[in-house]
Amino acid sequence: MLAQVRQARILDEVRRTGGVRVSDLTVLLGVSDMTVRRDLDALDRKGLLAKVHGGATAVETVTAVEPDFETKSVRELEEKEAIAAHAATLVRPGMAIAITAGTTTWTLARHLAEVPDLTVVTNSLKVAEVLHHHERPDLTVVLTGGLRTPSDGLIGPVAVQAIRSLRVDMVIMGVHGVDEHAGLTTPNLMEAETNRALVESARRLVVVADHTKWGVVGLAQIVPLRSISTFITDDHLEPHAAEVLADQVGEVILLPTPDPPAEHDEGRRA
């Protein structure tokens, strides 16, 4: 396969999914990881994608379209699991917390099964489904109403009105994008308003976001970085991003995550 053809296929995948892994591209293209990395270097130099640890992401643009839950649920699984497990350790018995919609927060919900005397306010149908599955008498789940988003969140005036009548110890928030200047963002204007209401209802804002969210800018800002009490991410975050967060956020937690298995050049040809 010619380099131009390979690189066109790579760009198609990046545009379709928002990001790709080297290991996945070696299977898709039937070439070695060395060949894929050279192609990614070439595309990065041309400004057609952004090379990151273990793969590449789409070049930063302002996004106004929200990916659906299923699309996001298969990305960065190891990172999300580590982030969610740590976030769960911040939740103490007897707390009232809020959890926003998203795949990382959905993963978090599975880690809250053993926290006693817990009250959870959420606008996520997926989170509520996980928590209701446990059928615990000491677990109260308050599900807001509202309009349903592609990521199975409930947003809009009904959700905002319900949230503003409540007060919680902390809100744990998953986000579409995190940026040095734009702060926390989402493609959905009503989701931004709903999430701001959750932040205003809480004493503490905890953000759970893997490294691929950095540099992504959605149409609507939720809050600036300085509003964040604790930011939990993985150690694949680029050094500049870690410096920016450390300067603006109360606490930054970088968690180690396993690298994908290394691909070998042996037995493969470009």
Side-chain angles (χ1 to χ4, degrees):
M1 186 183 295
L2 295 175
Q4 299 97 305
V5 177
R6 286 197 313 272
Q7 291 171 16
R9 290 283 301 277
I10 291 171
L11 286 176
D12 285 343
E13 283 298 297
V14 170
R15 289 166 185 152
R16 183 176 67 85
T17 65
V20 291
R21 289 183 180 274
V22 170
S23 55
D24 293 335
L25 290 175
T26 60
V27 175
L28 175 69
L29 302 173
V31 297
S32 71
D33 62 332
M34 295 286 291
T35 298
V36 169
R37 292 179 193 280
R38 284 196 295 268
D39 285 338
L40 294 181
D41 284 336
L43 293 168
D44 182 79
R45 286 194 298 270
K46 295 175 183 177
L48 298 175
L49 52 69
K51 190 176 178 185
V52 297
H53 182 89
T57 62
V59 176
E60 179 184 331
T61 56
V62 175
T63 54
V65 178
E66 181 180 2
D68 61 32
F69 186 89
E70 286 69 26
T71 298
K72 295 186 291 183
S73 67
V74 296
R75 299 176 182 170
E76 285 68 52
L77 298 181
E78 296 89 352
E79 290 90 337
K80 289 176 181 176
E81 181 65 26
I83 291 166
H86 188 88
T89 68
L90 304 180
V91 181
R92 306 298 184 200
M95 272 189 168
I97 67 171
I99 302 177
T100 69
T103 53
T104 307
T105 50
W106 170 67
T107 304
L108 163 69
R110 303 200 303 268
H111 287 274
L112 298 178
E114 304 305 321
V115 182
D117 300 319
L118 188 61
T119 298
V120 177
V121 177
T122 185
N123 69 324
S124 168
L125 294 169
K126 296 288 189 181
V127 167
E129 181 181 6
V130 171
L131 296 175
H132 278 302
H133 177 73
H134 295 293
E135 298 183 347
R136 285 172 33 197
D138 64 335
L139 172 62
T140 301
V141 179
V142 179
L143 181 61
T144 70
L147 302 172
R148 188 171 182 170
T149 70
S151 59
D152 284 336
L154 299 174
I155 62 172
V158 173
V160 170
Q161 183 176 357
I163 292 164
R164 284 180 175 163
S165 67
L166 303 170
R167 291 292 179 268
V168 295
D169 294 298
M170 74 169 71
V171 55
I172 303 177
M173 179 177 292
V175 291
H176 173 80
V178 186
D179 181 77
E180 178 176 359
H181 305 291
L184 306 182
T185 61
T186 171
N188 191 308
L189 290 168
M190 284 195 291
E191 183 174 41
E193 183 182 11
T194 303
N195 283 353
R196 278 195 298 273
L198 285 167
V199 172
E200 291 165 4
S201 76
R203 296 177 179 175
R204 179 182 181 189
L205 169 58
V206 176
V207 174
V208 289
D210 68 75
H211 68 281
T212 65
K213 302 298 180 68
W214 180 260
V216 177
V217 180
L219 181 64
Q221 184 189 61
I222 303 168
V223 292
L225 295 182
R226 293 193 182 278
S227 298
I228 303 170
S229 305
T230 301
F231 190 96
I232 308 174
T233 187
D234 60 85
D235 60 0
H236 292 163
L237 186 72
E238 60 183 78
H240 173 69
E243 292 174 5
V244 170
L245 288 167
D247 182 57
Q248 299 196 46
V249 172
E251 177 186 28
V252 180
I253 299 172
L254 298 175
L255 299 171
T257 53
D259 289 325
E263 296 283 351
H264 299 289
D265 210 35
E266 301 171 5
R268 296 190 181 213
R269 294 291 183 268

